[in-house]
Amino acid sequence: MIDGHAYVQTSAPINGGNSGGPMFNSKGQMLGVVVAKARIENTGFAIPMKNVLKFLAADKSGKTSGKG
């Protein structure tokens, strides 16, 4: 949790331009959407898929929640 929001943390390198890209596990399942690179080497963060799906469902209904 960072500032009240859940994130998936990874030790995979996150390079400039990767934000908005998918984060997959070794089985090819999408875990989240990459949103941040920490100042610590090889540490990145992604929005969890459950929150992404919740946001997309709210967007289709015309509602916005403002929190993930």
Side-chain angles (χ1 to χ4, degrees), residues 14 18 23 29 36 43-44 48 52 54 56 63:
I14 305 294
N18 286 114
M23 178 190 291
Q29 299 166 319
T43 303
V52 173
K54 189 175 173 182
L56 292 173
K63 300 176 188 174

Side-chain angles (χ1 to χ4, degrees), residues 8-67:
V8 177
Q9 182 178 339
T10 181
S11 60
I14 305 294
N15 299 311
N18 286 114
S19 289
M23 178 190 291
F24 294 99
N25 66 13
S26 61
K27 296 178 183 179
Q29 299 166 319
M30 190 169 164
L31 299 176
V33 176
V34 176
V35 294
K37 174 181 171 180
R39 292 184 180 168
I40 303 166
E41 190 173 327
N42 293 337
T43 303
F45 299 93
I47 299 171
M49 276 310 298
K50 68 178 187 172
N51 295 13
V52 173
L53 294 171
K54 189 175 173 182
F55 172 80
L56 292 173
D59 186 53
K60 281 184 178 181
S61 68
K63 300 176 188 174
T64 56
S65 66
K67 275 197 162 187

